[in-house]
Amino acid sequence: MSIVPPSPRALGAVRRKAMNVSEQQLVTERLLSPDHALPLVIEPAVSGVDLIAWAARERESLEKKLLEYGALLFRGFNVASVEQFDQVIAALSPGALEYMFRASPRTRVGGNIYTSTDYPADQMIFPHNEHSYSPRFPLRLFFYCQLPSETGGETPIGSTRAVKAKISPQIQARFREKGVLYVRNYGDGFGLPWQSVFQSEDRREVEAYCASVGIDVEWKDNNRLRTRQRGPAVVRHPRTGEEVWFNHATFFHISTLPERIRDSLLSNFNDLDLPTNTFYGDGEPIEPQVLESLRAAYLDSLVRFSWQQGDVLFIDNMLAVHGREPFTGKRAIMTGMAEALLSSDGAV
């Protein structure tokens, strides 16, 4: 993976500027909130701007903006279907990837486009970087609002630059030294079955995939599976060269789950048999006060906005975290992932 040093402009302080019309007089740009560094909102300045064609022409420029801000929100472009959303992804990236080594239930709605998550509507999803637990992860994420919910249902996002700045140097140093150990059990009640996670019914295929990315496999009785893997806590961004806090140590830890679910799981499973749990890379438990500090760093970095029908959110998965708020009514938020990377290539 080649590393391109960041330009001072790309990583400098966010510019607080009034709305400006682009050189082509086709779009306007503004920060959603003057108190947050993301997202940059891009809207048509005139009627009839085709987001797919415009984004393809401006791909290089939009890539620079994405590295500067971490997330771009395209609003008002009348993206009217999943098919058009897929074409937006193709205009801004090499194309949508299949959802592999899964951690949440999702439904494929066409091609490699999926529902954002099928978790119950009354549950919050804690902010995280997509697949940061996985040896292979997408650099780019896309979200599309086909139908906003009646209430709630926001997809809060936050800058990982801000998250990292809120984590004490002592905690960062400990995780840099030890890394993160991920332990997952599949099909034991709450968790997804391994056949869904790996999209295969063949044990040999699962073993081959895990061996290729450094995941240890342990088959248990009744065709159940446990995996262990050690990953970095801090990864170097391949385009900017900066060090990014990028892991699932907080999200996968049992203590981050809602109290009702956490207590139910702990009454039935020990720490190593839980659907997901995390430890320091040497297997030692992560201290409760450390986890509280990490959760606060994520939550304090979030900015929330209400979805509007047709919105497309373009995220650099290493520079921005995302979550989900509870909601009522129907909600249709679709997602696609692009540009697979290996965490080991950027580990520091």
Side-chain angles (χ1 to χ4, degrees):
M1 181 186 299
S2 61
I3 302 296
V4 178
S7 68
R9 179 178 180 275
L11 299 182
V14 174
R15 292 166 296 161
R16 308 304 185 194
K17 59 184 181 181
M19 182 182 295
N20 288 328
V21 180
S22 71
E23 292 180 3
Q24 293 81 9
Q25 300 292 304
L26 293 178
V27 303
T28 60
E29 300 175 358
R30 61 181 173 88
L31 283 174
L32 183 69
S33 166
D35 298 324
H36 293 274
L38 80 175
L40 180 70
V41 182
I42 301 177
E43 298 167 295
V46 295
S47 62
V49 179
D50 183 334
L51 177 59
I52 298 165
W54 177 82
R57 292 194 305 269
E58 298 294 322
R59 181 168 170 175
E60 184 176 348
S61 172
L62 291 169
E63 168 76 10
K64 293 178 181 178
K65 295 182 191 299
L66 186 67
L67 295 178
E68 181 176 356
Y69 294 96
L72 308 179
L73 176 60
F74 299 103
R75 171 162 283 179
F77 287 93
N78 193 32
V79 178
S81 67
V82 169
E83 291 75 20
Q84 288 183 345
F85 174 51
D86 199 8
Q87 292 171 5
V88 172
I89 296 175
L92 291 168
S93 75
L97 299 168
E98 185 176 3
Y99 180 35
M100 296 295 292
F101 197 30
R102 302 183 177 197
S104 62
R106 290 179 180 165
T107 302
R108 191 193 298 261
V109 295
N112 287 326
I113 306 301
Y114 302 82
T115 55
S116 59
T117 182
D118 293 336
Y119 276 132
D122 63 344
Q123 294 182 15
M124 170 196 173
I125 298 177
F126 192 82
H128 58 284
N129 300 95
E130 190 65 40
H131 266 61
S132 63
Y133 61 87
S134 175
R136 182 177 291 129
F137 65 90
L139 179 61
R140 304 298 193 222
L141 293 182
F142 298 83
F143 292 95
Y144 164 56
C145 179
Q146 191 173 43
L147 179 68
S149 53
E150 292 178 11
T151 67
E154 298 90 349
T155 300
I157 58 177
S159 166
T160 54
R161 292 163 177 151
V163 172
K164 184 172 179 288
K166 295 175 184 292
I167 301 172
S168 73
Q170 294 80 8
I171 292 176
Q172 291 191 41
R174 193 174 310 161
F175 275 100
R176 285 174 185 272
E177 176 189 355
K178 296 187 174 187
V180 183
L181 176 66
Y182 302 99
V183 180
R184 298 183 67 185
N185 291 274
Y186 307 87
D188 291 351
F190 185 76
L192 293 173
W194 61 263
Q195 295 91 338
S196 296
V197 171
F198 294 97
Q199 292 294 285
S200 174
E201 302 279 342
D202 189 332
R203 285 190 178 197
R204 291 170 298 180
E205 288 184 0
V206 173
E207 291 168 353
Y209 171 81
C210 290
S212 72
V213 291
I215 299 173
D216 294 329
V217 169
E218 177 188 349
W219 292 105
K220 303 188 292 184
D221 58 3
N222 297 322
N223 200 34
R224 295 174 302 142
L225 173 64
R226 174 186 291 139
T227 60
R228 291 182 177 88
Q229 72 201 76
R230 186 182 184 278
V234 179
V235 176
R236 193 174 299 280
H237 195 288
R239 306 280 166 80
T240 70
E242 67 192 295
E243 294 182 359
V244 178
W245 183 260
F246 187 79
N247 60 75
H248 252 52
T250 311
F251 185 83
F252 266 0
H253 197 275
I254 181 64
S255 64
T256 301
L257 287 172
E259 182 178 2
R260 177 178 57 84
I261 298 174
R262 179 179 68 237
D263 291 347
S264 175
L265 288 171
L266 289 174
S267 68
N268 289 284
F269 302 104
N270 63 43
D271 286 351
L272 290 176
D273 286 324
L274 292 163
T276 63
N277 207 4
T278 57
F279 307 83
Y280 287 117
D282 59 6
E284 290 297 311
I286 304 172
E287 300 88 347
Q289 65 271 24
V290 170
L291 288 156
E292 284 296 329
S293 177
L294 292 175
R295 280 190 285 269
Y298 283 94
L299 294 174
D300 290 347
S301 302
L302 294 181
V303 57
R304 294 169 174 82
F305 62 93
S306 297
W307 283 111
Q308 295 182 14
Q309 191 166 21
D311 280 353
V312 174
L313 181 62
F314 181 22
I315 289 179
D316 184 300
N317 187 36
M318 295 180 74
L319 298 180
V321 299
H322 66 281
R324 191 203 71 183
E325 298 292 342
F327 65 93
T328 63
K330 294 181 179 180
R331 178 182 187 268
I333 307 297
M334 308 305 170
T335 189
M337 312 173 196
E339 295 192 49
L341 297 180
L342 292 175
S343 60
S344 58
D345 289 344
V348 297

Short mmCIF file of all heavy atoms in Angstrom, two decimals, residues 131-137 172 175-182 229-236 244-249 281 318 342-348:
data_model
loop_
_atom_site.label_atom_id
_atom_site.label_comp_id
_atom_site.label_asym_id
_atom_site.label_seq_id
_atom_site.Cartn_x
_atom_site.Cartn_y
_atom_site.Cartn_z
N HIS A 131 -16.21 -2.57 9.98
CA HIS A 131 -15.26 -3.67 9.78
C HIS A 131 -13.88 -3.39 10.38
O HIS A 131 -12.90 -4.01 9.96
CB HIS A 131 -15.11 -4.00 8.30
CG HIS A 131 -16.01 -5.11 7.82
ND1 HIS A 131 -17.37 -4.99 7.89
CD2 HIS A 131 -15.76 -6.32 7.30
CE1 HIS A 131 -17.92 -6.10 7.40
NE2 HIS A 131 -16.96 -6.93 7.05
N SER A 132 -13.77 -2.47 11.34
CA SER A 132 -12.44 -2.24 11.91
C SER A 132 -11.97 -3.41 12.76
O SER A 132 -10.83 -3.46 13.17
CB SER A 132 -12.42 -0.94 12.73
OG SER A 132 -13.30 -0.99 13.84
N TYR A 133 -12.86 -4.38 13.02
CA TYR A 133 -12.47 -5.63 13.67
C TYR A 133 -11.86 -6.61 12.69
O TYR A 133 -11.24 -7.60 13.09
CB TYR A 133 -13.71 -6.30 14.31
CG TYR A 133 -14.77 -6.66 13.29
CD1 TYR A 133 -14.75 -7.86 12.59
CD2 TYR A 133 -15.79 -5.77 12.98
CE1 TYR A 133 -15.71 -8.17 11.66
CE2 TYR A 133 -16.75 -6.06 12.04
CZ TYR A 133 -16.72 -7.27 11.39
OH TYR A 133 -17.67 -7.57 10.44
N SER A 134 -12.03 -6.37 11.42
CA SER A 134 -11.69 -7.35 10.40
C SER A 134 -10.31 -7.10 9.82
O SER A 134 -9.90 -5.95 9.63
CB SER A 134 -12.72 -7.30 9.26
OG SER A 134 -12.35 -8.16 8.21
N PRO A 135 -9.56 -8.17 9.50
CA PRO A 135 -8.28 -7.98 8.82
C PRO A 135 -8.42 -7.31 7.46
O PRO A 135 -7.49 -6.70 6.96
CB PRO A 135 -7.74 -9.41 8.67
CG PRO A 135 -8.44 -10.20 9.72
CD PRO A 135 -9.81 -9.59 9.83
N ARG A 136 -9.61 -7.43 6.86
CA ARG A 136 -9.88 -6.77 5.58
C ARG A 136 -11.11 -5.89 5.76
O ARG A 136 -12.14 -6.34 6.25
CB ARG A 136 -10.13 -7.83 4.49
CG ARG A 136 -10.38 -7.24 3.10
CD ARG A 136 -10.55 -8.34 2.06
NE ARG A 136 -9.29 -9.04 1.81
CZ ARG A 136 -9.14 -10.37 1.84
NH1 ARG A 136 -10.17 -11.13 2.11
NH2 ARG A 136 -7.97 -10.91 1.59
N PHE A 137 -11.01 -4.62 5.37
CA PHE A 137 -12.10 -3.68 5.63
C PHE A 137 -12.24 -2.73 4.45
O PHE A 137 -11.32 -2.54 3.65
CB PHE A 137 -11.82 -2.88 6.92
CG PHE A 137 -10.61 -1.99 6.83
CD1 PHE A 137 -10.72 -0.69 6.38
CD2 PHE A 137 -9.35 -2.46 7.18
CE1 PHE A 137 -9.60 0.13 6.28
CE2 PHE A 137 -8.24 -1.65 7.10
CZ PHE A 137 -8.36 -0.36 6.64
N GLN A 172 -3.72 5.19 24.69
CA GLN A 172 -3.23 4.94 23.33
C GLN A 172 -1.96 4.10 23.35
O GLN A 172 -1.80 3.16 22.57
CB GLN A 172 -2.99 6.26 22.61
CG GLN A 172 -4.24 7.04 22.29
CD GLN A 172 -3.98 8.20 21.35
OE1 GLN A 172 -3.20 8.07 20.39
NE2 GLN A 172 -4.62 9.34 21.59
N PHE A 175 -2.63 0.38 24.08
CA PHE A 175 -3.20 -0.34 22.93
C PHE A 175 -2.21 -0.45 21.78
O PHE A 175 -2.22 -1.44 21.04
CB PHE A 175 -4.48 0.35 22.46
CG PHE A 175 -5.71 -0.07 23.22
CD1 PHE A 175 -6.23 0.72 24.23
CD2 PHE A 175 -6.34 -1.26 22.91
CE1 PHE A 175 -7.36 0.34 24.92
CE2 PHE A 175 -7.48 -1.66 23.60
CZ PHE A 175 -7.99 -0.86 24.62
N ARG A 176 -1.36 0.54 21.61
CA ARG A 176 -0.32 0.43 20.58
C ARG A 176 0.59 -0.76 20.87
O ARG A 176 1.00 -1.50 19.97
CB ARG A 176 0.52 1.70 20.53
CG ARG A 176 -0.13 2.89 19.88
CD ARG A 176 0.75 4.13 20.04
NE ARG A 176 0.12 5.33 19.54
CZ ARG A 176 0.21 5.74 18.28
NH1 ARG A 176 0.92 5.05 17.41
NH2 ARG A 176 -0.38 6.86 17.90
N GLU A 177 0.93 -0.92 22.14
CA GLU A 177 1.84 -2.01 22.53
C GLU A 177 1.17 -3.37 22.42
O GLU A 177 1.78 -4.32 21.91
CB GLU A 177 2.28 -1.78 23.97
CG GLU A 177 3.15 -2.91 24.53
CD GLU A 177 3.41 -2.78 26.02
OE1 GLU A 177 2.99 -1.76 26.61
OE2 GLU A 177 4.02 -3.70 26.59
N LYS A 178 -0.09 -3.47 22.86
CA LYS A 178 -0.72 -4.78 22.99
C LYS A 178 -1.66 -5.13 21.84
O LYS A 178 -1.90 -6.31 21.58
CB LYS A 178 -1.50 -4.84 24.30
CG LYS A 178 -0.62 -4.73 25.55
CD LYS A 178 -1.44 -4.97 26.80
CE LYS A 178 -0.55 -5.01 28.04
NZ LYS A 178 -1.30 -5.39 29.26
N GLY A 179 -2.22 -4.12 21.17
CA GLY A 179 -3.22 -4.40 20.16
C GLY A 179 -4.53 -4.82 20.80
O GLY A 179 -4.75 -4.67 22.00
N VAL A 180 -5.43 -5.39 19.98
CA VAL A 180 -6.76 -5.81 20.41
C VAL A 180 -6.97 -7.27 20.04
O VAL A 180 -6.66 -7.68 18.92
CB VAL A 180 -7.86 -4.95 19.76
CG1 VAL A 180 -9.24 -5.36 20.28
CG2 VAL A 180 -7.62 -3.47 19.98
N LEU A 181 -7.50 -8.05 20.98
CA LEU A 181 -7.89 -9.43 20.71
C LEU A 181 -9.40 -9.48 20.56
O LEU A 181 -10.14 -9.07 21.46
CB LEU A 181 -7.44 -10.36 21.83
CG LEU A 181 -7.88 -11.83 21.70
CD1 LEU A 181 -7.22 -12.48 20.49
CD2 LEU A 181 -7.59 -12.61 22.97
N TYR A 182 -9.86 -9.99 19.41
CA TYR A 182 -11.29 -10.16 19.15
C TYR A 182 -11.64 -11.63 19.28
O TYR A 182 -11.04 -12.48 18.61
CB TYR A 182 -11.65 -9.68 17.74
CG TYR A 182 -11.30 -8.24 17.47
CD1 TYR A 182 -10.14 -7.89 16.79
CD2 TYR A 182 -12.13 -7.21 17.91
CE1 TYR A 182 -9.82 -6.57 16.53
CE2 TYR A 182 -11.82 -5.88 17.66
CZ TYR A 182 -10.67 -5.57 16.98
OH TYR A 182 -10.34 -4.26 16.73
N GLN A 229 -8.71 -13.41 16.83
CA GLN A 229 -7.77 -12.70 15.98
C GLN A 229 -7.21 -11.51 16.74
O GLN A 229 -7.90 -10.91 17.57
CB GLN A 229 -8.45 -12.21 14.70
CG GLN A 229 -9.40 -11.05 14.94
CD GLN A 229 -10.42 -10.86 13.87
OE1 GLN A 229 -11.39 -11.61 13.79
NE2 GLN A 229 -10.22 -9.85 13.04
N ARG A 230 -5.98 -11.19 16.47
CA ARG A 230 -5.35 -10.03 17.08
C ARG A 230 -5.20 -8.97 16.00
O ARG A 230 -4.73 -9.25 14.89
CB ARG A 230 -3.98 -10.40 17.65
CG ARG A 230 -3.33 -9.26 18.44
CD ARG A 230 -1.95 -9.67 18.95
NE ARG A 230 -1.36 -8.63 19.79
CZ ARG A 230 -0.73 -7.56 19.34
NH1 ARG A 230 -0.60 -7.35 18.04
NH2 ARG A 230 -0.22 -6.67 20.19
N GLY A 231 -5.63 -7.76 16.32
CA GLY A 231 -5.54 -6.66 15.37
C GLY A 231 -4.94 -5.43 15.99
O GLY A 231 -4.86 -5.31 17.22
N PRO A 232 -4.52 -4.48 15.17
CA PRO A 232 -3.98 -3.21 15.69
C PRO A 232 -5.07 -2.31 16.21
O PRO A 232 -6.24 -2.43 15.82
CB PRO A 232 -3.30 -2.61 14.46
CG PRO A 232 -4.10 -3.13 13.31
CD PRO A 232 -4.53 -4.52 13.70
N ALA A 233 -4.71 -1.40 17.10
CA ALA A 233 -5.64 -0.38 17.58
C ALA A 233 -5.50 0.91 16.79
O ALA A 233 -6.45 1.68 16.66
CB ALA A 233 -5.43 -0.11 19.06
N VAL A 234 -4.30 1.14 16.27
CA VAL A 234 -4.01 2.35 15.50
C VAL A 234 -3.47 1.93 14.14
O VAL A 234 -2.60 1.06 14.04
CB VAL A 234 -2.97 3.24 16.23
CG1 VAL A 234 -2.66 4.48 15.41
CG2 VAL A 234 -3.48 3.62 17.62
N VAL A 235 -4.02 2.53 13.10
CA VAL A 235 -3.66 2.18 11.72
C VAL A 235 -3.30 3.46 10.97
O VAL A 235 -3.89 4.51 11.21
CB VAL A 235 -4.82 1.45 11.02
CG1 VAL A 235 -4.50 1.15 9.57
CG2 VAL A 235 -5.15 0.15 11.76
N ARG A 236 -2.34 3.36 10.07
CA ARG A 236 -1.95 4.53 9.27
C ARG A 236 -2.82 4.62 8.02
O ARG A 236 -3.00 3.64 7.30
CB ARG A 236 -0.47 4.43 8.88
CG ARG A 236 0.09 5.73 8.32
CD ARG A 236 1.60 5.62 8.08
NE ARG A 236 2.33 5.36 9.32
CZ ARG A 236 2.65 6.28 10.21
NH1 ARG A 236 2.29 7.54 10.03
NH2 ARG A 236 3.32 5.96 11.29
N VAL A 244 -4.51 6.74 12.69
CA VAL A 244 -5.94 6.80 12.96
C VAL A 244 -6.30 5.76 14.02
O VAL A 244 -5.84 4.62 13.97
CB VAL A 244 -6.74 6.51 11.67
CG1 VAL A 244 -8.24 6.53 11.94
CG2 VAL A 244 -6.39 7.51 10.58
N TRP A 245 -7.11 6.17 15.00
CA TRP A 245 -7.67 5.22 15.96
C TRP A 245 -8.73 4.42 15.23
O TRP A 245 -9.78 4.93 14.85
CB TRP A 245 -8.29 5.98 17.14
CG TRP A 245 -8.82 5.08 18.21
CD1 TRP A 245 -10.12 4.74 18.41
CD2 TRP A 245 -8.07 4.43 19.25
NE1 TRP A 245 -10.23 3.90 19.49
CE2 TRP A 245 -8.99 3.70 20.03
CE3 TRP A 245 -6.71 4.40 19.58
CZ2 TRP A 245 -8.60 2.94 21.13
CZ3 TRP A 245 -6.32 3.65 20.66
CH2 TRP A 245 -7.25 2.92 21.43
N PHE A 246 -8.48 3.12 15.02
CA PHE A 246 -9.30 2.34 14.11
C PHE A 246 -9.37 0.91 14.62
O PHE A 246 -8.50 0.08 14.34
CB PHE A 246 -8.70 2.39 12.69
CG PHE A 246 -9.56 1.74 11.62
CD1 PHE A 246 -10.65 2.42 11.09
CD2 PHE A 246 -9.25 0.48 11.15
CE1 PHE A 246 -11.43 1.83 10.10
CE2 PHE A 246 -10.03 -0.12 10.16
CZ PHE A 246 -11.11 0.56 9.63
N ASN A 247 -10.40 0.61 15.40
CA ASN A 247 -10.57 -0.73 15.97
C ASN A 247 -11.98 -0.89 16.50
O ASN A 247 -12.74 0.06 16.60
CB ASN A 247 -9.54 -0.98 17.07
CG ASN A 247 -9.67 0.00 18.21
OD1 ASN A 247 -10.59 -0.08 19.03
ND2 ASN A 247 -8.76 0.99 18.26
N HIS A 248 -12.32 -2.12 16.87
CA HIS A 248 -13.63 -2.45 17.43
C HIS A 248 -13.53 -2.79 18.91
O HIS A 248 -14.42 -3.47 19.45
CB HIS A 248 -14.23 -3.64 16.67
CG HIS A 248 -15.38 -3.30 15.77
ND1 HIS A 248 -15.32 -2.30 14.84
CD2 HIS A 248 -16.64 -3.83 15.65
CE1 HIS A 248 -16.48 -2.25 14.16
NE2 HIS A 248 -17.30 -3.16 14.66
N ALA A 249 -12.47 -2.35 19.58
CA ALA A 249 -12.29 -2.71 20.99
C ALA A 249 -13.46 -2.27 21.84
O ALA A 249 -13.91 -3.00 22.74
CB ALA A 249 -10.99 -2.10 21.53
N GLY A 281 -4.51 -7.30 23.35
CA GLY A 281 -3.98 -8.30 22.45
C GLY A 281 -3.30 -9.48 23.12
O GLY A 281 -3.21 -10.57 22.53
N MET A 318 -11.99 5.33 7.56
CA MET A 318 -10.92 5.48 8.54
C MET A 318 -10.94 6.85 9.20
O MET A 318 -10.36 7.03 10.28
CB MET A 318 -9.56 5.24 7.89
CG MET A 318 -9.37 3.82 7.39
SD MET A 318 -7.75 3.55 6.64
CE MET A 318 -6.71 3.52 8.11
N LEU A 342 -6.22 -4.08 3.77
CA LEU A 342 -5.80 -4.96 4.87
C LEU A 342 -5.28 -4.11 6.01
O LEU A 342 -4.41 -3.26 5.81
CB LEU A 342 -4.72 -5.93 4.41
CG LEU A 342 -5.14 -7.01 3.39
CD1 LEU A 342 -3.91 -7.81 2.95
CD2 LEU A 342 -6.20 -7.92 3.96
N SER A 343 -5.80 -4.34 7.23
CA SER A 343 -5.35 -3.55 8.37
C SER A 343 -3.87 -3.77 8.66
O SER A 343 -3.18 -2.87 9.15
CB SER A 343 -6.18 -3.89 9.60
OG SER A 343 -6.06 -5.27 9.94
N SER A 344 -3.36 -4.95 8.34
CA SER A 344 -1.95 -5.24 8.61
C SER A 344 -1.02 -4.36 7.77
O SER A 344 0.11 -4.08 8.16
CB SER A 344 -1.66 -6.71 8.34
OG SER A 344 -1.98 -7.06 7.00
N ASP A 345 -1.50 -3.88 6.63
CA ASP A 345 -0.67 -3.02 5.77
C ASP A 345 -0.42 -1.68 6.40
O ASP A 345 0.59 -1.03 6.11
CB ASP A 345 -1.36 -2.83 4.40
CG ASP A 345 -1.33 -4.09 3.56
OD1 ASP A 345 -0.53 -5.00 3.88
OD2 ASP A 345 -2.11 -4.16 2.60
N GLY A 346 -1.33 -1.23 7.28
CA GLY A 346 -1.18 0.09 7.85
C GLY A 346 -0.96 0.10 9.36
O GLY A 346 -0.99 1.15 9.97
N ALA A 347 -0.74 -1.09 9.95
CA ALA A 347 -0.59 -1.17 11.40
C ALA A 347 0.65 -0.40 11.85
O ALA A 347 1.66 -0.38 11.17
CB ALA A 347 -0.46 -2.63 11.83
N VAL A 348 0.53 0.28 13.01
CA VAL A 348 1.64 1.04 13.56
C VAL A 348 1.92 0.57 14.99
O VAL A 348 1.09 -0.10 15.60
CB VAL A 348 1.37 2.55 13.54
CG1 VAL A 348 1.20 3.03 12.13
CG2 VAL A 348 0.13 2.91 14.36
#
